[in-house]
Amino acid sequence: MEADGNTIAETPAGFRCTLCSVSVPNRSSLDQHIKGRKHQTLSSVRDTRKTQEEHSVFVSGIKPEVSPADISEYFQQFGQVCDVIVDKNKGVYAIVQFGETDGVKAALSCVEHRMKGLKLSIKPREKKDFKLIPKKKDVQDVQQVLEHLKPQLCELMSVDEQMRYVVEHCELGEHEKKARGLLVQLLQEVFVEFFPDSQILPFGSSVNSFGIQSCDLDLFLDLEKTKVFQAHAKSTAVPAGEDMSDDGRSEDSILSDIDLTAASPAEILDLVATILRRCVPSVHKVHVVAGARLPVVKFHHSELNLRGDITVNNRLAVRNTHFLQLCSWVEGRLRPLVYTIRHWAKQKQLAGNPTGAGTLLNNYALTLLIVFFLQNCDPPVLFTVAQLKDMACEEEECVIEGWDCTFPSQPIAVPPSRNTQDLCMLLAGFFSFYAKFDFASSVISVREGRTLTIADFLGQNKEEEVMQEARPPMSPHRSPRLGPLNLLDPFELSHNVAGNLNVRSVLGFQRECQEAEKYCRSLQYKRKSAKGRSWGLLCLFTPSGATARTQTEPLTISIPFKEDSLPASLHNQLHAMGDGFQLLWFQKVCSAVERVLQRVLGCRLTPSTDGVFGKSSAVDPDEDAETVALDTSGNDSREMAEPQNHAVGTKRPPPPSGDASASPQGKRPRVAKRGKPKNPHWACVQKHTVWAGRRKVRRELIKDADSRPEGSCVELESQVTAHIVEKETEIKEPLEFKVEPKMVGGTESSMAELKLVPTNDKTGVFQDFFHFLQVFLPKMVETLLADEG
Ligand code: UTP
């Protein structure tokens, strides 16, 4: 493809962008990729590099004592010199960049170059292909720490000791804390010159007690008092020519250039960036990230080797930092848990978005997940935020932007926990808690220490909206952006701190928790190896990939039987089935799955040869036993068998809980008896990437889609698919896969299990589709079953 500097190649599976190292299945995805930020940024960097190469020459033969100014002066005779870069380490070569390519030609055509008694040699710049080099620094750091700790960790006597050892070796040292303190002081002195009465306040891991060596320094520039100063200065305007305010301080020109009350955070941050660049020594790489949820100025302090972020509208973050600090003071087990779980999550690539943006958990969200787990231990290890509020005294009351942020300032006000579990048990408990957590239908409230169902949460929000309309709003509180993981900030209740996660990252998190839970049940976790083998934390710290699942493992989607979410009429029907309820439910599920795949997601479906579904391997383990076949048509006039014909294994499952006499029909429906069915399955064909960009399309279709969770409305989801199908071109070679449903589990844990097997996946999109279906399908099936009521 010529359109983009020969960086796009056509492949059997679609297209590959060699510039960004990205493969896409079809042309419309390619167009989207090309328009995207990553490609645009890299293209522009590549173009700049190319121009620089064409405008510069490579100079060797210089000596360290020669300055860039000397070199620039010498080469001016050939053309205007824009830049001189001298190699930092040895100072024996340099790159001289001219404003025009004529300068390059002139310098190269000169036979001999002599400067300050040195004979220089000049060459054209080497033409190198521009390639994206992934930043491996973070990963390497983690590996190094791990490698370094390994032998010592192995020698310790218990998991508790190992966890405390991790803290000791990763926490911020006194020296680092001091350096951070000095930088805060320096910035405070500089900013107050330009923004009178302003205050620079650190927050995040540098101060919340969970900081690791070389973590970023998060800063909040508080300009509230400066705004008061500015307003006052304006109202008592001084005569022209005088620039002193009435308290004797100068209103610097920066303040006369901007109205802090009316300016946007991004505008203020532009000024902050200018001050950093011009007035703070050793500060480099200053840039404003204006598009983030909270705009930020990023910088690097070269002498202290510290990266910093400054925000101007983040008072809540300072407060939640104090909250985490309080939790950590009150409960000594929190720090070892946070350090260990953060390290585990980083190794498994579940948390710590290296560039700030991304679909992984951020460290704050991960810490809140730990806090939430500890609130839910029995007995609880941590109090809920609502309980802490009640322990605060009047002077500690605190409301920020309309959110109640009250909690005690001193740990003494909080009684100790009655929970005596050791760290080893708590860590295993964390994995087990989230291994089976129902992320898809829950909203996690750290404030209340409990989960709400999405439906209850939305209902509660609606009520609050109505109440808010009745009284003057303190701030425009919006509903949070719901997604595959809903974790509400403990104070800013309209903020889902895990709103950036996608289905794949949530499933990844849960899968790793399941793996870790399994491992924590083994002796290898709890008992030191007598032979010096890896044990305890060491196996949990194995980087992901080393224990990654193989592609050959069957990909299954489970749809659990959830009695509570069934509508009354279906409940009664199942009830009336007695022992046969599982089969009828399974039939309904199969019928719903078929509708989701076919009608909602636009797959072409070919049922199995005899059109029969529902042979249950768990319900009917005996191949010779009479089996019960189910029809997925959902047609009520089907032939039904008496419940006693339901073929079971060793155990007869009872009907769903409740009174059997509640059946309105008074008699039990029958299940079709058709002899032994062939192995049932659907053969499916999907021609479009109906999973890609769904959230965005849904949001576009319905304005308040943020408050309509995925899979809650059949109509809407079908429209989303239609929209994607209309806009996107077909996948180069349609995806073909098989779906094989079966019923598993006993009465208490009945579930439909769908095995998905790709039969033609030349474009390599099956994994993405599967990850999407893993969450989408059970939700949609639940919705369809509920609609039957
Ligand atoms: P981080 O996620 O960076 O956490 O958020 P951290 O503890 O500082 O960890 P490092 O820096 O990755 O080591 C930094 C701070 O930003 C605020 C919190 O105060 C958090 O401590 N924050 C972050 C929020 O208030 N809301 C968010 O959604 C995310």
Side-chain angles (χ1 to χ4, degrees):
M1 213 187 180
E2 284 156 32
D4 200 58
N6 293 327
T7 56
I8 308 297
E10 210 161 343
T11 65
F15 297 93
R16 179 152 182 87
C17 171
T18 48
L19 181 63
C20 311
S21 299
V22 165
S23 296
V24 288
N26 55 33
R27 189 166 290 273
S28 71
S29 314
L30 177 68
D31 289 343
Q32 260 184 7
H33 167 73
I34 289 176
K35 277 186 237 143
R37 200 161 42 159
K38 181 176 180 180
H39 187 84
Q40 290 296 319
T41 312
L42 285 178
S43 302
S44 119
V45 173
R46 178 200 54 198
D47 294 346
T48 313
R49 297 262 172 97
K50 194 161 174 255
T51 315
Q52 282 169 349
E53 269 172 18
E54 286 165 359
H55 285 68
S56 50
V57 290
F58 181 87
V59 184
S60 54
I62 51 178
K63 287 258 158 75
E65 55 272 20
V66 177
S67 73
D70 295 335
I71 302 173
S72 176
E73 197 187 321
Y74 171 76
F75 281 96
Q76 291 289 355
Q77 57 180 305
F78 304 108
Q80 187 214 344
V81 174
C82 315
D83 204 2
V84 174
I85 302 162
V86 180
D87 92 294
K88 253 196 211 151
N89 299 328
K90 301 190 190 102
V92 291
Y93 71 82
I95 287 165
V96 176
Q97 190 184 334
F98 292 96
E100 303 291 335
T101 47
D102 288 351
V104 175
K105 282 185 204 146
L108 289 172
S109 59
C110 176
V111 187
E112 196 179 48
H113 291 276
R114 285 200 176 269
M115 184 192 82
K116 294 199 174 258
L118 299 169
K119 190 166 178 234
L120 305 180
S121 144
I122 315 283
K123 279 199 302 188
R125 288 283 304 279
E126 237 175 84
K127 301 264 180 302
K128 283 193 198 145
D129 276 349
F130 176 74
K131 273 221 175 91
L132 170 66
I133 300 162
K135 283 186 193 155
K136 286 201 181 137
K137 198 174 172 302
D138 263 0
V139 179
Q140 275 170 1
D141 284 350
V142 173
Q143 303 299 354
Q144 280 163 6
V145 171
L146 181 72
E147 282 312 307
H148 179 71
L149 294 184
K150 236 177 180 176
Q152 289 96 320
L153 281 173
C154 222
E155 285 305 306
L156 296 170
M157 299 309 291
S158 66
V159 170
D160 281 44
E161 280 185 29
Q162 288 185 329
M163 288 172 73
R164 295 192 199 285
Y165 192 82
V166 169
V167 177
E168 271 170 42
H169 280 76
C170 296
E171 71 186 345
L172 280 175
E174 283 312 310
H175 193 68
E176 276 201 83
K177 282 191 202 158
K178 214 168 174 183
R180 279 157 203 264
L182 283 173
L183 182 55
V184 171
Q185 207 180 325
L186 170 68
L187 292 172
Q188 175 71 65
E189 280 166 18
V190 173
F191 282 122
V192 87
E193 285 292 317
F194 295 93
F195 300 115
D197 293 341
S198 66
Q199 222 190 331
I200 192 110
L201 299 164
F203 66 93
S205 57
S206 297
V207 274
N208 66 12
S209 85
F210 307 123
I212 55 165
Q213 292 148 25
S214 77
C215 66
D216 290 357
L217 175 61
D218 294 310
L219 298 165
F220 165 57
L221 176 61
D222 185 353
L223 295 172
E224 272 321 295
K225 290 191 181 146
T226 316
K227 286 178 191 167
V228 176
F229 171 86
Q230 191 180 42
H232 185 241
K234 274 196 183 133
S235 66
T236 56
V238 287
E242 293 177 33
D243 61 353
M244 299 294 277
S245 71
D246 60 354
D247 60 1
R249 292 173 301 180
S250 70
E251 193 203 339
D252 194 271
S253 59
I254 277 201
L255 269 198
S256 39
D257 284 351
I258 190 166
D259 176 359
L260 289 176
T261 323
S264 69
E267 285 165 336
I268 300 174
L269 287 176
D270 278 336
L271 285 185
V272 171
T274 310
I275 298 170
L276 281 175
R277 280 190 199 105
R278 299 209 184 140
C279 310
V280 189
S282 301
V283 163
H284 302 279
K285 299 182 184 167
V286 179
H287 64 282
V288 179
V289 183
R293 188 179 80 94
L294 294 172
V296 63
V297 182
K298 293 188 166 284
F299 66 90
H300 181 250
H301 192 281
S302 55
E303 232 163 90
L304 298 171
N305 193 18
L306 258 179
R307 279 167 311 180
D309 285 354
I310 300 181
T311 44
V312 288
N313 53 349
N314 212 0
R315 192 178 301 281
L316 280 160
V318 177
R319 191 65 185 158
N320 64 40
T321 296
H322 289 157
F323 163 69
L324 290 179
Q325 222 171 25
L326 176 76
C327 292
S328 164
W329 285 336
V330 168
E331 179 48 66
R333 288 168 290 182
L334 181 59
R335 282 186 85 217
L337 279 166
V338 170
Y339 275 88
T340 304
I341 293 170
R342 280 191 180 189
H343 192 48
W344 162 81
K346 195 156 190 181
Q347 290 294 82
K348 306 291 178 194
Q349 293 169 25
L350 304 171
N353 297 302
T355 56
T359 55
L360 302 182
L361 281 165
N362 59 49
N363 276 326
Y364 177 61
L366 184 60
T367 310
L368 289 181
L369 284 177
I370 301 169
V371 168
F372 182 72
F373 156 68
L374 294 175
Q375 291 172 335
N376 281 273
C377 287
D378 186 20
V381 177
L382 286 176
F383 285 100
T384 69
V385 179
Q387 289 166 331
L388 288 174
K389 173 185 150 78
D390 293 338
M391 294 171 198
C393 58
E394 226 175 278
E395 298 83 69
E396 286 160 339
E397 263 175 37
C398 171
V399 175
I400 298 172
E401 293 168 23
W403 301 112
D404 190 342
C405 303
T406 307
F407 52 80
S409 52
Q410 296 303 323
I412 191 93
V414 185
S417 162
R418 284 184 298 111
N419 184 306
T420 54
Q421 282 173 295
D422 62 11
L423 289 170
C424 175
M425 276 174 86
L426 287 173
L427 181 63
F430 171 86
F431 294 128
S432 154
F433 185 75
Y434 288 111
K436 40 187 177 288
F437 198 86
D438 182 4
F439 287 110
S441 39
S442 315
V443 176
I444 298 174
S445 165
V446 179
R447 178 153 202 104
E448 294 176 40
R450 66 186 179 107
T451 50
L452 305 166
T453 63
I454 289 186
D456 285 351
F457 173 74
L458 292 176
Q460 188 180 311
N461 249 24
K462 280 252 143 50
E463 269 174 36
E464 269 168 25
E465 269 169 34
V466 172
M467 279 166 68
Q468 279 225 335
E469 272 166 26
R471 54 181 140 86
M474 302 188 74
S475 80
H477 291 172
R478 294 180 57 244
S479 302
R481 170 180 165 180
L482 295 181
L485 200 165
N486 301 303
L487 171 59
L488 298 185
D489 187 90
F491 306 106
E492 189 185 3
L493 300 176
S494 65
H495 175 41
N496 175 10
V497 300
N500 60 316
L501 269 72
N502 61 16
V503 170
R504 185 189 280 226
S505 37
V506 177
L507 290 172
F509 176 73
Q510 190 149 43
R511 198 175 49 232
E512 290 294 352
C513 285
Q514 287 160 356
E515 295 286 332
E517 184 204 18
K518 245 189 273 162
Y519 168 68
C520 289
R521 274 193 254 121
S522 69
L523 271 184
Q524 198 185 352
Y525 169 61
K526 293 170 208 155
R527 198 180 286 171
K528 181 180 174 180
S529 159
K531 294 181 182 161
R533 294 209 182 110
S534 287
W535 71 282
L537 294 191
L538 283 162
C539 302
L540 288 173
F541 290 167
T542 314
S544 82
T547 54
R549 288 166 163 236
T550 56
Q551 289 270 334
T552 49
E553 262 183 272
L555 299 170
T556 52
I557 296 176
S558 303
I559 303 177
F561 173 71
K562 286 192 199 162
E563 197 182 341
D564 293 348
S565 63
L566 297 175
S569 58
L570 180 56
H571 194 272
N572 288 337
Q573 268 186 54
L574 293 174
H575 212 165
M577 289 295 296
D579 289 353
F581 85 93
Q582 281 179 316
L583 288 173
L584 179 57
W585 174 76
F586 181 56
Q587 177 188 16
K588 299 270 181 198
V589 168
C590 287
S591 162
V593 168
E594 193 174 277
R595 271 184 284 163
V596 177
L597 289 171
Q598 201 162 23
R599 296 199 206 151
V600 180
L601 295 175
C603 290
R604 202 180 70 219
L605 247 62
T606 318
S608 58
T609 42
D610 57 358
V612 165
F613 299 94
K615 182 191 168 200
S616 159
S617 59
V619 174
D620 179 16
D622 180 358
E623 282 295 313
D624 296 327
E626 187 183 30
T627 52
V628 183
L630 296 172
D631 175 3
T632 59
S633 67
N635 185 350
D636 278 347
S637 65
R638 65 197 170 268
E639 193 195 337
M640 294 289 198
E642 291 300 335
Q644 60 267 35
N645 288 334
H646 164 59
V648 288
T650 48
K651 219 171 122 192
R652 277 168 69 92
S657 58
D659 178 9
S661 61
S663 164
Q665 291 84 9
K667 57 178 182 180
R668 292 172 171 182
R670 302 180 331 148
V671 178
K673 215 166 53 166
R674 295 211 184 137
K676 192 171 171 178
K678 295 214 177 89
N679 213 11
H681 71 268
W682 292 277
C684 311
V685 180
Q686 179 54 268
K687 292 185 175 174
H688 292 90
T689 52
V690 292
W691 57 93
R694 261 192 106 79
R695 251 194 190 174
K696 195 167 161 219
V697 175
R698 191 182 299 109
R699 230 178 289 139
E700 277 164 12
L701 282 177
I702 283 199
K703 283 270 157 8
D704 70 346
D706 268 359
S707 57
R708 280 187 95 149
E710 184 174 73
S712 62
C713 175
V714 177
E715 193 75 359
L716 175 61
E717 296 301 337
S718 308
Q719 279 177 28
V720 173
T721 303
H723 208 81
I724 296 174
V725 169
E726 195 189 306
K727 290 246 160 106
E728 300 283 312
T729 49
E730 291 185 2
I731 307 173
K732 231 173 159 197
E733 190 151 336
L735 166 68
E736 290 172 23
F737 60 102
K738 245 182 359 182
V739 181
E740 297 173 357
K742 72 173 181 184
M743 181 82 191
V744 296
T747 317
E748 297 296 309
S749 54
S750 300
M751 64 167 82
E753 203 173 83
L754 309 171
K755 186 167 145 198
L756 274 78
V757 186
T759 46
N760 182 359
D761 180 29
K762 292 227 173 70
T763 50
V765 293
F766 176 71
Q767 285 284 335
D768 286 349
F769 189 35
F770 171 76
H771 286 306
F772 158 73
L773 284 179
Q774 239 180 338
V775 171
F776 185 79
L777 208 50
K779 278 257 44 111
M780 282 300 326
V781 167
E782 200 176 318
T783 304
L784 281 164
L785 292 186
D787 285 353
E788 284 208 7

